[in-house]
Amino acid sequence: MARQLDEQITARFPLGRRLRVLDVGMGQGTQALRLARAGHAVTGLESDPGMLATAREAFALEPAGIRERVRLIEGDGLETGVHFLPGSFDVVLCHGVLMYVSEPDAMLAGLARMLAPGGLLSLLVRNGDALALRPGHAGDWGTALQAFDSAMYTNRLGLRVRADRLETLTATLAGIAAPLHAWYGVRVFTDGAAADAVVPDGEELERLLSAEDRAGRTEPYRRVAALLHLCGVRG
């Protein structure tokens, strides 16, 4: 996904420009830290105090030049209008958050308002059109059959959450003046890997990432990815 995001940023903004980035639901700060290291001014918004503390610890280990480009705030993605003025950011990230939001349209509209004209909205969501694949590959036929008729599923943390469909989000993005510009699949081949699976290194890791990247932008593979990465552009 980082490759996909960098591709969209490079295509939209002049090389070397310091972008104003908002990472909503930033978790441990993986993407926020990566973008701060790349020279951008990053604001992280996170509602979980534990995750926020972990992110603060990670940033505290960075050089002063990186730390001064980062602002971390405890808050919810539904409250962006409380913390920021409309048009305050060039890029807004919302990765792995919408599955926890029962009615996402209001939140998405708020995120779009945070974007300056021409700004990039990056969403990472669970693919509602591929919910049956993971239980099907595991031989859990009952759960697989249920997945054909519902957008709800139980994630690996044991929480009951929801998935999104490409067609629905495409319409939503158009309605909030940030129409879909590009989309990718994420975790086409590796979704079934165990949580404790050993990550390969060296050339094997590069081959894995290259295969995932290729599948994530190629039909029909991207349509059955576990996750979808959607990029909307503010008009």
Side-chain angles (χ1 to χ4, degrees):
M1 189 193 68
R3 294 185 182 186
Q4 299 162 358
L5 180 60
D6 288 347
E7 177 179 88
Q8 291 300 314
I9 288 175
T10 300
R12 295 214 61 78
F13 302 102
L15 183 65
R17 175 177 166 183
R18 177 178 290 188
L19 301 175
R20 301 165 298 166
V21 179
L22 173 63
D23 190 353
V24 175
M26 68 170 182
Q28 298 178 357
T30 301
Q31 289 299 322
L33 178 56
R34 191 180 69 83
L35 291 170
R37 286 172 173 169
H40 303 302
V42 179
T43 299
L45 187 67
E46 175 55 54
S47 62
D48 185 286
M51 288 287 190
L52 188 60
T54 299
R56 290 189 192 279
E57 291 173 1
F59 278 103
L61 299 175
E62 294 295 309
I66 293 177
R67 295 198 307 272
E68 69 185 14
R69 292 197 292 270
V70 177
R71 179 170 54 146
L72 303 182
I73 299 173
E74 185 172 347
D76 190 274
L78 289 167
E79 303 170 347
T80 50
V82 174
H83 298 286
F84 316 110
L85 293 174
S88 295
F89 299 96
D90 304 301
V91 179
V92 173
L93 313 181
C94 184
H95 296 165
V97 175
L98 288 190
M99 55 274 290
Y100 298 101
V101 180
S102 58
E103 298 291 339
D105 286 6
M107 179 173 168
L108 288 172
L111 298 184
R113 283 194 292 272
M114 295 300 103
L115 286 169
L120 178 69
L121 176 60
S122 173
L123 307 175
L124 184 70
V125 303
R126 188 73 163 90
N127 184 5
D129 291 321
L131 282 181
L133 280 177
R134 184 187 294 172
H137 287 152
D140 183 356
W141 308 119
T143 302
L145 287 168
Q146 292 173 10
F148 286 106
D149 302 310
S150 174
M152 301 302 295
Y153 69 102
T154 301
N155 67 11
R156 288 174 172 172
L157 299 176
L159 302 176
R160 193 69 177 164
V161 290
R162 49 172 292 283
D164 288 283
R165 299 183 186 278
L166 176 64
E167 182 179 9
T168 302
L169 279 180
T170 299
T172 299
L173 290 172
I176 61 175
L180 184 67
H181 176 73
W183 70 276
Y184 309 84
V186 176
R187 285 198 344 224
V188 178
F189 300 127
T190 58
D191 185 56
D196 58 353
V198 177
V199 178
D201 54 16
E203 291 184 4
E204 185 65 14
L205 177 60
E206 182 56 35
R207 284 193 289 265
L208 183 156
L209 294 174
S210 295
E212 282 284 355
D213 181 61
R214 180 73 177 271
R217 60 182 73 236
T218 303
E219 297 285 4
Y221 303 101
R222 64 177 181 167
R223 291 191 177 271
V224 295
L227 303 169
L228 298 178
H229 180 199
L230 290 84
C231 299
V233 175
R234 181 71 170 172

